[in-house]
Amino acid sequence: MRIGSLADAAGTTRRTVRHYHRIGLLDEPRRLSNGYREYTIDDVIRLMRIRWLADSGMPLGAIAAALDRSPTDDSDVVADLRALLAGIESEQKALAHKHARLSALLDDAVEHRALTALPRGAADTLAAVIDAADDTDRETLLRERDLLEVMAISGTVPTSFFETMTATLADPGSRQNYLGILRRFSALEGRDPGVAERDIDSLAAELTSLLDVESLGTAGQNAESSGPFGIDDIVPDPAQRAVIIRATARLRTTESSRSGDTR
């Protein structure tokens, strides 16, 4: 049997057969007097087994051990197969996550909505508030939306934080209070934290009282250390950053007090 017939029988190519020869996965056959390789049914069987394992996802480097293993020592093969399955399961989870995200993005595109990492409820509520805002508030809200999206992408805040944000913006009274805080927060940019101490402390107190304690508290803890961004990256201005850090500290103190309250 010539190499072309061998390749056809196993559903592969001559180039692949030659590659298997080079890496020692398939032994070189004997050569006839005219120099041609002469393959046998044993070569066909070996090649088909190699292709079957390769198509199953086994790397070529592990196939030789799988085919030539000793019946009394399967430890390497077992370890290889377990690692391969673990890798596939990890890929399946990643693909499921991508599928869910792409499905949501497709829905947004079909409905002519902006593509955003924010939860849909938060995105829609923010969009409505931005549309209804005047020019000054709109600029502040657009900046706030961008920062919230960075937080969503980086994973520094839990979903419950965005649920709290949505509820706050959906309520007319809370929304006006929040817009007032945003205006003052925006006005802090560029100011010396020492000079703006009173405003920083006042804003931190108001922010703490306005938003849900548990949600913002968890968000504050995560924002300092989780994900690819820290609080310095998300809020680069020192005075504004001081507000977030101080609000976080207040919230942690509040949560500790609640946890220790056994009444």
Side-chain angles (χ1 to χ4, degrees):
M1 182 184 300
R2 299 292 185 264
I3 189 171
S5 299
L6 173 70
D8 290 343
T12 188
T13 65
R14 299 181 187 190
R15 183 177 180 180
T16 298
V17 173
R18 294 190 183 100
H19 178 63
Y20 292 165
H21 286 323
R22 284 194 298 271
I23 64 176
L25 193 54
L26 184 66
D27 291 337
E28 289 274 1
R30 71 184 183 92
R31 288 184 180 270
L32 301 177
S33 58
N34 58 9
Y36 287 109
R37 295 184 178 94
E38 179 66 17
Y39 294 95
T40 67
I41 187 61
D42 291 337
D43 296 314
V44 175
I45 293 170
R46 173 82 176 187
L47 181 57
M48 292 185 73
R49 285 174 174 165
I50 292 169
R51 296 303 307 157
W52 171 64
L53 290 172
D55 290 343
S56 297
M58 184 173 286
L60 295 181
I63 288 177
L67 291 177
D68 303 328
R69 74 189 192 282
S70 167
T72 59
D73 184 12
D74 284 339
S75 57
D76 290 342
V77 175
V78 169
D80 286 341
L81 290 171
R82 283 177 174 164
L84 288 169
L85 283 172
I88 289 174
E89 289 166 1
S90 178
E91 290 177 8
Q92 287 175 330
K93 290 180 181 179
L95 286 172
H97 178 70
K98 289 180 181 180
H99 185 277
R101 180 174 291 178
L102 288 172
S103 294
L105 290 173
L106 176 60
D107 289 342
D108 291 339
V110 169
E111 296 298 326
H112 307 292
R113 294 189 295 246
L115 303 184
T116 176
L118 291 172
R120 177 44 49 197
D124 288 345
T125 301
L126 266 172
V129 173
I130 290 171
D131 287 343
D134 58 30
D135 291 341
T136 302
D137 282 343
R138 183 176 294 109
E139 183 177 350
T140 301
L141 284 165
L142 287 171
R143 178 62 174 167
E144 175 74 356
R145 184 191 62 187
D146 290 343
L147 289 175
L148 289 171
E149 186 159 24
V150 168
M151 294 166 74
I153 293 172
S154 65
T156 55
V157 294
T159 303
S160 57
F161 173 76
F162 294 107
E163 293 172 351
T164 298
M165 289 288 302
T166 302
T168 299
L169 291 173
D171 178 75
S174 297
R175 179 169 63 248
Q176 289 307 312
N177 290 338
Y178 187 69
L179 287 173
I181 291 174
L182 281 183
R183 295 184 195 109
R184 292 167 59 197
F185 185 81
S186 179
L188 273 179
E189 186 172 3
R191 294 183 61 188
D192 185 316
V195 176
E197 167 64 26
R198 181 174 298 178
D199 290 335
I200 289 171
D201 194 64
S202 174
L203 273 173
E206 290 183 42
L207 189 61
T208 303
S209 63
L210 179 63
L211 298 176
D212 177 76
V213 170
E214 293 184 3
S215 294
L216 186 56
T218 305
Q221 293 174 32
N222 290 343
E224 291 191 54
S225 59
S226 298
F229 300 105
I231 186 66
D232 290 357
D233 301 301
I234 296 174
V235 187
D237 183 81
Q240 293 177 334
R241 184 165 62 247
V243 173
I244 303 301
I245 292 173
R246 195 163 301 184
T248 298
R250 289 175 181 269
L251 290 162
R252 286 177 177 169
T253 300
T254 303
E255 285 192 9
S256 297
S257 299
R258 285 186 172 186
S259 299
D261 189 354
T262 57
R263 292 176 295 174

